[in-house]
Structure formats: C-alpha cells, structure tokens
Amino acid sequence: MSQFPDRETATSPPHERKPLKTFINCLIAAWLFFGASSIYALILRYQYVPAPYWLDRTSVFAWSAGLATAIVLSASVWTDRFSISGGWFRSVAGLLCAPVFGLFLGWNAVTSAIPMAVALLGGYEANIQYSIIRADRDGSKHCPQPIELDMAMLVFKDLCFFSDQFRRTLSPGDTIILSGRGTSMGLFPSSARKLE
C-alpha cells in the first residue's frame, strides 16, 4: 500500500479554493456596485442628497469603509495581476486606479448608498435644510443648472434638475428646504423652497 497520495487527492486543494475565490470576488463586485448606486440613480435623474448631519455623523465610518474597500480592491487586483488581459500596462493601470476607486466607492456606500436604500425601502415625505455656496455655475449634461450645496462631500455637492428661474433667486449663504421621499439621513428631492 503506497504512502503517497494519488494524483486526484494531491490536486484537489487548489480546486477547492476556486469557489471561495469566486464567492469573494462576487462579494467585492456587489459591494462596489452598491457603492456606485447613487451614481446610477443620478444618471437616471433620481438624485439622492444626503443630509448634512448624516455626513458629519458618519464621516469616520465612511472614510474607514473607503480605506477598507481600497485595500481589498487593491489586493484583489494585485492577486490577479498576471491574469489581466492587455499585459503589464493594464495591470499597472489597475493597480493605480484600484485604491482611488475603492476609497471613493466605499466612502460613497456609507454616505449615500446606505441611506438611499433606507429611503427607498422605508422612506416618507421628508424636509431637510441645506445652505447654498453658489448657484451661478454652468451645468453639464447630467446636472443642468447646478446649485452647489454646502456639504462635507468631495463630489456630488450639486443639486440638479431644478429650474433656472428658481436658481436665479438664490445667493451664496441662502438656506433652502428640500422636500421629497427620504428620511432624516437624506432624500430624493422633488421640490425646494428658499427659507426667508
């Protein structure tokens, strides 16, 4: 009787690890998709605006989630760097972009995606106050007539899809009240009025 394992037994551990790696990659992809969900909503003209208090309250947790996502995504790209099609250029580009995308998407998941999901599932008619930084900038295809809000965000500070007539009534330092489906964490604005 041989003391050595047969070929089938010797090669089984790598095959056993493959489903686990696939599962982990699916979890990472699902988290990244979730982190980008507020971007997809904005493209579909359903802008979600988090409340200033929510941004302040979750700042440390949001940056921690962003850092953790950046590390996991970078490690995933590093592990698969030799199997990335396109050679070393795409591998290097992936390694450079992974921390930035991971940081942003992890941060965005906490600041926007989580409260947006809560608003969709259990939202109500909410009213939240926001301060204006400026309302006279040129718009873009995805955000015409932007109204820049005073919020602790690197991106998505602009309130979109409100009329230029309303925008012309606003000055830096003004306060507006946004109304729409949401919670105290933020809302999907459907109307706005200037607080006198």
Side-chain angles (χ1 to χ4, degrees), residues 5 49 59 70 74 95 104 109-110 114 119 135 147 157 182 190:
V49 184
S59 178
S74 298
L95 288 169
F104 169 72
V110 174
I114 291 173
I147 299 169
K157 288 182 174 184
S190 57

Side-chain angles (χ1 to χ4, degrees), residues 36-120:
S37 59
S38 62
I39 302 168
Y40 306 138
L42 181 61
I43 292 170
L44 296 171
R45 297 180 69 92
Y46 290 101
Q47 183 176 18
Y48 180 82
V49 184
Y53 112 91
W54 174 256
L55 295 174
D56 292 339
R57 192 171 177 184
T58 60
S59 178
V60 173
F61 183 60
W63 286 113
S64 299
L67 185 59
T69 305
I71 291 169
V72 170
L73 185 61
S74 298
S76 178
V77 172
W78 176 259
T79 303
D80 294 334
R81 68 190 181 279
F82 296 118
S83 61
I84 296 174
S85 61
W88 68 270
F89 179 77
R90 283 199 179 173
S91 296
V92 170
L95 288 169
L96 292 175
C97 293
V100 177
F101 283 126
L103 185 65
F104 169 72
L105 292 176
W107 173 86
N108 197 56
V110 174
T111 57
S112 296
I114 291 173
M116 185 178 80
V118 172
L120 285 171

Side-chain angles (χ1 to χ4, degrees), residues 15-196:
H15 294 297
E16 288 172 8
R17 277 189 239 123
K18 196 166 187 177
L20 178 63
K21 184 178 179 183
T22 303
F23 177 71
I24 291 171
N25 285 340
C26 287
L27 283 180
I28 293 170
W31 175 250
L32 295 177
F33 181 83
F34 180 69
S37 59
S38 62
I39 302 168
Y40 306 138
L42 181 61
I43 292 170
L44 296 171
R45 297 180 69 92
Y46 290 101
Q47 183 176 18
Y48 180 82
V49 184
Y53 112 91
W54 174 256
L55 295 174
D56 292 339
R57 192 171 177 184
T58 60
S59 178
V60 173
F61 183 60
W63 286 113
S64 299
L67 185 59
T69 305
I71 291 169
V72 170
L73 185 61
S74 298
S76 178
V77 172
W78 176 259
T79 303
D80 294 334
R81 68 190 181 279
F82 296 118
S83 61
I84 296 174
S85 61
W88 68 270
F89 179 77
R90 283 199 179 173
S91 296
V92 170
L95 288 169
L96 292 175
C97 293
V100 177
F101 283 126
L103 185 65
F104 169 72
L105 292 176
W107 173 86
N108 197 56
V110 174
T111 57
S112 296
I114 291 173
M116 185 178 80
V118 172
L120 285 171
L121 296 173
Y124 49 84
E125 187 66 19
N127 299 298
I128 302 176
Q129 289 187 12
Y130 296 86
S131 295
I132 303 297
I133 291 181
R134 61 183 296 191
D136 58 355
R137 282 191 10 247
D138 292 333
S140 65
K141 178 183 175 184
H142 295 297
C143 189
Q145 295 98 33
I147 299 169
E148 188 175 344
L149 303 176
D150 185 11
M151 298 197 320
M153 297 181 77
L154 299 176
V155 291
F156 305 128
K157 288 182 174 184
D158 292 341
L159 181 64
C160 306
F161 316 125
F162 282 90
S163 70
D164 202 41
Q165 182 180 0
F166 173 68
R167 201 168 71 127
R168 282 197 296 267
T169 67
L170 302 174
S171 302
D174 284 349
T175 299
I176 60 172
I177 298 177
L178 294 182
S179 301
R181 182 178 176 84
T183 65
S184 61
M185 297 183 287
L187 49 72
F188 293 94
S190 57
S191 63
R193 63 185 173 86
K194 182 177 174 181
L195 188 65
E196 299 298 340

Side-chain angles (χ1 to χ4, degrees), residues 1-7:
M1 189 168 174
S2 173
Q3 297 295 321
F4 298 103
D6 58 13
R7 262 181 211 171

